[in-house]
Amino acid sequence: MRAVRAGNRPGATSWSVTRIWKAIGKAAHDLFTDFTTYSGHARGASAAAAGGLKGEGFALGAALEHVAKRWDEQTRTLLDACAHISNHLRYTKTQHAADESYIAGAVSSIATLDEGFDDRKGH
């Protein structure tokens, strides 16, 4: 993946990579939010069905309860991964902006020094 600068002025921070990171982070956050809601519905419905079946003496109730427990474990794993991706990319974006600011300041300082040398040369 190649970063392409939006402009050639010092401190320009619009990078295509940043937009990609933002899109991936948003997708991870959206998946986290939506899957939290929908997996909760599935967990509740499965637990209710398992309880009903067990209450009626069906062996299938215990099996469904086991599946629901595994679903819950796998759901938590997926949600943790989504949160990790979203948080990491948010941190990366913030750090990237801080690095850009630092670089822009350093380049600006060098330009100021260069102007001083140019003034002295003409003196």
Side-chain angles (χ1 to χ4, degrees):
M1 194 177 314
R2 194 173 130 242
V4 179
R5 204 170 192 64
N8 51 358
R9 65 189 187 282
T13 57
S14 180
W15 291 75
S16 62
V17 171
T18 302
R19 285 191 294 269
I20 292 168
W21 289 343
K22 186 176 180 180
I24 293 169
K26 183 181 180 332
H29 182 267
D30 291 348
L31 178 60
F32 179 90
T33 302
D34 293 344
F35 196 70
T36 298
T37 301
Y38 299 124
S39 68
H41 296 312
R43 182 175 42 255
S46 297
L53 288 169
K54 278 178 73 173
E56 294 294 323
F58 288 98
L60 184 60
L64 184 55
E65 187 176 63
H66 173 75
V67 169
K69 182 180 175 188
R70 294 288 289 158
W71 170 261
D72 190 42
E73 292 168 1
Q74 295 299 317
T75 296
R76 277 191 251 133
T77 299
L78 177 62
L79 292 174
D80 287 347
C82 288
H84 180 74
I85 291 166
S86 180
N87 292 339
H88 177 74
L89 290 174
R90 185 177 303 121
Y91 169 80
T92 300
K93 180 182 168 197
T94 302
Q95 187 60 47
H96 179 73
D99 291 346
E100 280 290 315
S101 178
Y102 173 78
I103 291 167
V107 169
S108 175
S109 297
I110 292 169
T112 302
L113 285 173
D114 282 346
E115 287 174 10
F117 284 117
D118 290 342
D119 290 343
R120 186 171 174 206
K121 198 165 72 172
H123 182 80

